[in-house]
Amino acid sequence: MRPFLFHNPVKLYFGQGSLRALNKMLQPQQKVLVVYGGGSIKRNGVYDEVMGKLRELQVEVFELSGVEPNPRVETARQGITICKKENIALILAVGGGSVIDCVKLIAAGALIEEDAWAIPTQKVKVKDALPFGVIVTLASTGSEMNNNSVITNSETNEKLDWASGYVFPQFAIADPRYTVTVPKDHTVYGMVDIMSHCIEQYFHNETNTAIIDAFATGILRTMIEVAPKLVAEPENVVYRETVLHASTMALNGLLTMGVYGDWGSHMVEHAVSAIYDIPHAGGLAILQPHWMRHFVDVNPARFAKFAVDVFAVEQEAKTLEEIAYEGIDRLSAFWQSLGAPSRLADYGIDASRFDDIISHVMAEDTPSAFVDLQASDVRAILEKSL
Amino acid sequence: MRPFLFHNPVKLYFGQGSLRALNKMLQPQQKVLVVYGGGSIKRNGVYDEVMGKLRELQVEVFELSGVEPNPRVETARQGITICKKENIALILAVGGGSVIDCVKLIAAGALIEEDAWAIPTQKVKVKDALPFGVIVTLASTGSEMNNNSVITNSETNEKLDWASGYVFPQFAIADPRYTVTVPKDHTVYGMVDIMSHCIEQYFHNETNTAIIDAFATGILRTMIEVAPKLVAEPENVVYRETVLHASTMALNGLLTMGVYGDWGSHMVEHAVSAIYDIPHAGGLAILQPHWMRHFVDVNPARFAKFAVDVFAVEQEAKTLEEIAYEGIDRLSAFWQSLGAPSRLADYGIDASRFDDIISHVMAEDTPSAFVDLQASDVRAILEKSL
């Protein structure tokens, strides 16, 4: 492994009733900007529960709603304007990864003079951020326990990842009850996303990574066990709890101790969904198995280990490549069994804008760690995904 | 699982060359108290490397050496006196768990007026502590990444655990090179200790703990893989690295997300080593398998799961109890194969002071989580361990 720094200062309050942590985290008369999405929290009661708590704690509440599924810089700008004008002390994200990612940009953008888009484009270096907390309502991105953010600019069709040591949430409240009413499709997308994060981080070029290998494959096996049960019984809060726990652990830095994750599939997917606005994990379910098949030859032993440790693929009388492909097939079949899409055609996407997608991927200056994506690789992966 | 707070703010700088992190962590002219043990760091070059770095960074160095293997409150008192007199800004623990645990008490004790023993006895509540960092030289206790401390009072023959949210190290530097010269016996003790921590936390009374189960058994399987290799090749820095990584992860809060660990074996061992001053993990290697056998009936399914997930015990045509006992026998045999003791007689301990030991255990007011130890249980475990 590589020398590394692991530092994750987030206070994770996990479990039923965790909203009471706000008692410690907020002060009376504090100005709090509550940020949320399209209103599902109003339909499922989370909004009322949170607002009731905020009234009880006598904080001064401001609101920003309407954060998009692929959160836009335009929306973050609205939040930044409120923070600057009202002198907001703390931002509270109530939602899934989109809302949390948007709040990260609001928190950092509120303390710079430049336009917020300068942050994801790395024209401005983040040196501070407003404190913010999270009440997570979707098990998926793990954004509640990390310092990553993905933001879309609909004018330029760009969807950019950025990160800063200043945008760890101060606290995250993860109550599985708040995820019980997530509809089936988004529940499945979330579960694909969690597994995809483990896979992106599992494929690297370091050796001697036994502990993180065990953590990643342990989360994946847990997901394989619980995901079908949750699909069959979506209101089961115990299954929701396991999946929510998996999501916070899958992308909080633990799985990249000593390695760089690859994130090639994510880069291709971000390019696709920047153009077509499809659900992120829907795209991943299609693209990642093809990324894997395309690159088996880079390290067949690693892919075979994945197959054995995650899917218990039998090894006897098989080549490493055979074991590897069987593991990938099992993964793809598993995601389909949950109801995830398997072809770009499922979203009505054809090859007509492949050149645009490839240009987007190539424009990203982050090299993948396991194998550096070339335009020809991206094209091959896209074509197999049709 | 139970609702929980996971919060571990330690900056873990892990890997070869991590000492360079001091560049960020220390300021010129800062008064730093360097605390270490019996002088092994002077023989193996770690002392010179650290002191060279401190000179380069132009900090003002004070020293306290001679921290005992079971660190004593008397030694912590010396450190507290230096901190108060010299107005120390930061303490740097260079050593294993003993040194780190002692520094935790120095850091907290330096900011109270009462005698330091008031902290482990909980007569004074810790409300602040001097900042401190760790350079860990032994893979064992995980103290470098947690807020626990064990302190012995040789006047009262007490060995007490205590913890506080204020005694997380500010940073921990974990360079496996610094552990390469650890002698064989302490290397083995360290590895037993790491595995023992996983086991203590694995036995609890909660359900729906898939993620932490996977993490705990993943660390245990990693140890089973690497420990014999390290015993055969003690200077292999790659094996040292894996074991050091396992030790930091085994007791940093991850494995108790949503549960209370049991720690019954640790309580019995602390009582034994408070009286006989034997190595902590030597005691654990003897006592823990007998604790496990004694309590199989409490939850045979849990012990059987342990056997299957950690030692891949075959399940066919066996009762849960048979699987459980086979797993415990495998654990005990594994520790013996590394060279760990298996009987109290190996340390010349007979039954003559069992009453004292039992009184010590019963005096601890921490109930075990998996099963609350009674005097008769402790006696039975001790007798089987003779």
Side-chain angles (χ1 to χ4, degrees):
Chain A
M1 68 174 84
R2 311 170 60 87
F4 66 86
L5 165 63
F6 177 84
H7 182 225
N8 190 317
V10 177
K11 288 179 178 163
L12 173 66
Y13 291 93
F14 190 100
Q16 295 186 45
S18 297
L19 190 68
R20 63 176 163 264
L22 288 182
N23 298 348
K24 287 185 194 174
M25 295 294 130
L26 303 178
Q27 318 293 330
Q29 279 73 58
Q30 203 173 25
K31 289 185 170 186
V32 174
L33 173 62
V34 180
V35 180
Y36 52 98
S40 64
I41 63 167
K42 290 197 173 170
R43 291 188 295 277
N44 63 20
V46 173
Y47 177 86
D48 289 341
E49 195 167 322
V50 171
M51 287 298 172
K53 183 53 132 175
L54 296 178
R55 271 194 303 278
E56 177 196 322
L57 296 173
Q58 301 180 315
V59 301
E60 190 178 346
V61 172
F62 298 78
E63 292 187 49
L64 172 69
S65 63
V67 176
E68 305 80 8
N70 284 311
R72 296 182 180 191
V73 66
E74 297 85 340
T75 311
R77 285 181 187 126
Q78 294 176 40
I80 291 165
T81 301
I82 299 171
C83 287
K84 288 182 172 176
K85 183 176 161 211
E86 304 294 349
N87 204 18
I88 296 293
L90 184 136
I91 312 169
L92 190 58
V94 186
S98 310
V99 172
I100 303 166
D101 284 10
C102 186
V103 163
K104 287 173 182 174
L105 187 57
I106 297 173
L111 299 188
I112 62 169
E113 289 180 15
E114 295 86 346
D115 175 67
W117 190 242
I119 290 173
T121 51
Q122 296 183 34
K123 283 173 189 154
V124 164
K125 192 171 160 62
V126 175
K127 290 179 184 155
D128 204 358
L130 279 182
F132 65 99
V134 169
I135 298 171
V136 64
T137 62
L138 180 67
S140 177
T141 68
S143 191
E144 62 276 12
M145 203 178 175
N146 66 42
N147 60 337
N148 307 319
S149 165
V150 185
I151 295 291
T152 295
N153 187 327
S154 58
E155 289 166 25
T156 61
N157 268 349
E158 284 173 291
K159 184 170 178 174
L160 299 181
D161 287 303
W162 65 283
S164 158
Y166 295 97
V167 295
F168 281 105
Q170 196 178 74
F171 61 88
I173 291 170
D175 183 334
R177 290 186 305 121
Y178 296 163
T179 69
V180 162
T181 58
V182 172
K184 188 188 161 187
D185 56 347
H186 284 279
T187 299
V188 170
Y189 291 144
M191 295 193 293
V192 170
D193 200 28
I194 294 163
M195 294 179 69
S196 176
H197 292 160
C198 296
I199 296 167
E200 294 278 19
Q201 295 169 94
Y202 185 84
F203 289 99
H204 54 67
N205 288 314
E206 302 298 327
T207 55
N208 197 39
T209 55
I211 298 290
I212 63 169
D213 287 355
F215 286 4
T217 55
I219 296 172
L220 284 163
R221 285 194 309 274
T222 300
M223 291 301 300
I224 291 166
E225 172 82 18
V226 75
K229 294 180 184 170
L230 180 54
V231 167
E233 208 180 316
E235 299 197 352
N236 185 310
V237 74
V238 170
Y239 302 152
R240 291 281 183 187
E241 181 175 73
T242 301
V243 172
L244 185 57
H245 197 198
S247 79
T248 57
M249 292 300 127
L251 199 52
N252 65 0
L254 283 177
L255 305 190
T256 42
M257 288 185 290
V259 305
Y260 294 135
D262 186 80
W263 300 103
S265 300
H266 267 66
M267 280 198 279
V268 179
E269 195 295 315
H270 284 174
V272 172
S273 69
I275 290 171
Y276 288 101
D277 206 18
I278 65 170
H280 168 59
L284 286 173
I286 298 164
L287 295 161
Q288 192 160 37
H290 289 297
W291 177 93
M292 294 171 81
R293 288 189 190 97
H294 187 72
F295 288 123
V296 161
D297 292 347
V298 173
N299 189 344
R302 187 74 180 160
F303 281 95
K305 181 173 162 57
F306 174 89
V308 172
D309 289 352
V310 177
F311 286 101
V313 169
E314 282 288 339
Q315 303 173 72
E316 211 177 303
K318 290 177 194 161
T319 65
L320 286 177
E321 285 78 3
E322 286 169 340
I323 299 165
Y325 283 114
E326 193 172 327
I328 300 165
D329 289 345
R330 292 277 297 276
L331 174 71
S332 187
F334 179 75
W335 281 345
Q336 286 178 56
S337 76
L338 300 178
S342 64
R343 315 219 62 83
L344 289 172
D346 295 339
Y347 288 120
I349 297 174
D350 59 21
S352 60
R353 297 193 69 186
F354 277 6
D355 288 343
D356 288 351
I357 295 170
I358 294 165
S359 303
H360 268 284
V361 177
M362 292 298 106
E364 293 212 34
D365 57 359
T366 339
S368 294
F370 182 68
V371 57
D372 200 12
L373 280 173
Q374 304 300 318
S376 58
D377 299 320
V378 180
R379 186 175 300 278
I381 292 164
L382 288 170
E383 283 174 354
K384 285 176 195 157
S385 304
L386 276 171
Chain B
M1 68 173 83
R2 311 170 61 86
F4 66 86
L5 164 63
F6 177 84
H7 180 226
N8 189 320
V10 177
K11 290 180 178 162
L12 173 66
Y13 292 94
F14 190 100
Q16 295 185 44
S18 296
L19 190 69
R20 64 175 163 264
L22 288 182
N23 297 349
K24 288 185 191 171
M25 295 294 130
L26 302 180
Q27 318 293 330
Q29 278 73 58
Q30 204 173 25
K31 288 184 170 185
V32 175
L33 173 62
V34 180
V35 180
Y36 51 97
S40 64
I41 62 167
K42 291 200 173 170
R43 291 188 296 277
N44 63 21
V46 174
Y47 178 86
D48 288 341
E49 196 168 323
V50 172
M51 286 299 171
K53 183 52 133 174
L54 296 177
R55 270 193 303 277
E56 176 196 323
L57 296 173
Q58 300 180 313
V59 302
E60 188 177 347
V61 172
F62 298 79
E63 293 186 49
L64 172 69
S65 64
V67 176
E68 304 80 8
N70 285 311
R72 297 183 179 191
V73 66
E74 296 85 340
T75 311
R77 285 182 187 126
Q78 295 176 39
I80 291 166
T81 302
I82 299 171
C83 288
K84 289 182 172 178
K85 184 177 162 212
E86 304 292 349
N87 205 15
I88 296 293
L90 184 138
I91 312 169
L92 190 58
V94 185
S98 309
V99 171
I100 303 165
D101 285 10
C102 185
V103 163
K104 288 173 181 174
L105 187 57
I106 296 172
L111 300 187
I112 63 168
E113 289 180 14
E114 295 85 346
D115 175 67
W117 190 241
I119 291 173
T121 52
Q122 296 183 34
K123 283 174 189 153
V124 165
K125 192 172 159 60
V126 174
K127 290 177 184 156
D128 202 357
L130 279 182
F132 66 98
V134 168
I135 298 171
V136 63
T137 61
L138 180 67
S140 176
T141 69
S143 190
E144 63 275 13
M145 202 180 174
N146 67 42
N147 60 339
N148 307 320
S149 164
V150 185
I151 295 290
T152 295
N153 186 327
S154 58
E155 288 166 25
T156 61
N157 268 349
E158 284 175 292
K159 184 170 178 174
L160 298 181
D161 287 305
W162 64 284
S164 158
Y166 295 97
V167 295
F168 281 105
Q170 196 178 75
F171 60 88
I173 291 170
D175 183 334
R177 290 187 304 121
Y178 297 164
T179 69
V180 162
T181 57
V182 173
K184 189 189 162 187
D185 56 347
H186 284 280
T187 299
V188 170
Y189 291 144
M191 296 193 292
V192 170
D193 200 29
I194 294 163
M195 295 179 69
S196 175
H197 293 160
C198 296
I199 296 167
E200 295 277 19
Q201 295 169 94
Y202 185 85
F203 289 99
H204 53 68
N205 289 314
E206 302 298 325
T207 55
N208 196 39
T209 55
I211 297 290
I212 62 168
D213 287 356
F215 286 4
T217 55
I219 295 172
L220 284 164
R221 284 195 310 274
T222 299
M223 290 302 299
I224 291 164
E225 173 82 19
V226 74
K229 293 179 185 171
L230 180 54
V231 168
E233 209 180 315
E235 298 198 354
N236 186 310
V237 74
V238 170
Y239 301 151
R240 291 281 182 187
E241 182 176 71
T242 301
V243 172
L244 185 57
H245 197 197
S247 80
T248 57
M249 292 299 127
L251 198 51
N252 65 0
L254 284 176
L255 305 190
T256 42
M257 288 185 289
V259 305
Y260 295 135
D262 186 83
W263 302 103
S265 300
H266 268 65
M267 279 198 281
V268 179
E269 195 294 315
H270 285 174
V272 171
S273 69
I275 290 171
Y276 288 101
D277 207 18
I278 65 171
H280 168 57
L284 286 173
I286 298 164
L287 296 161
Q288 193 160 35
H290 289 297
W291 175 92
M292 295 172 81
R293 288 189 189 98
H294 187 72
F295 288 122
V296 161
D297 292 346
V298 173
N299 189 342
R302 187 74 181 159
F303 282 94
K305 181 173 161 57
F306 174 88
V308 171
D309 288 352
V310 177
F311 287 101
V313 169
E314 281 289 338
Q315 302 172 73
E316 212 178 301
K318 291 176 194 163
T319 65
L320 286 178
E321 284 78 3
E322 286 169 339
I323 299 165
Y325 283 113
E326 193 173 328
I328 300 166
D329 289 345
R330 292 277 297 276
L331 173 70
S332 186
F334 179 75
W335 282 345
Q336 286 178 55
S337 76
L338 300 178
S342 64
R343 316 219 60 83
L344 289 172
D346 295 339
Y347 288 119
I349 297 173
D350 58 24
S352 59
R353 297 192 66 184
F354 278 5
D355 288 343
D356 288 350
I357 295 169
I358 294 164
S359 302
H360 268 284
V361 177
M362 292 298 107
E364 293 211 35
D365 57 359
T366 338
S368 295
F370 182 68
V371 57
D372 200 12
L373 279 173
Q374 304 301 317
S376 58
D377 299 319
V378 180
R379 186 175 300 280
I381 291 165
L382 288 170
E383 283 174 353
K384 285 176 195 156
S385 303
L386 276 171

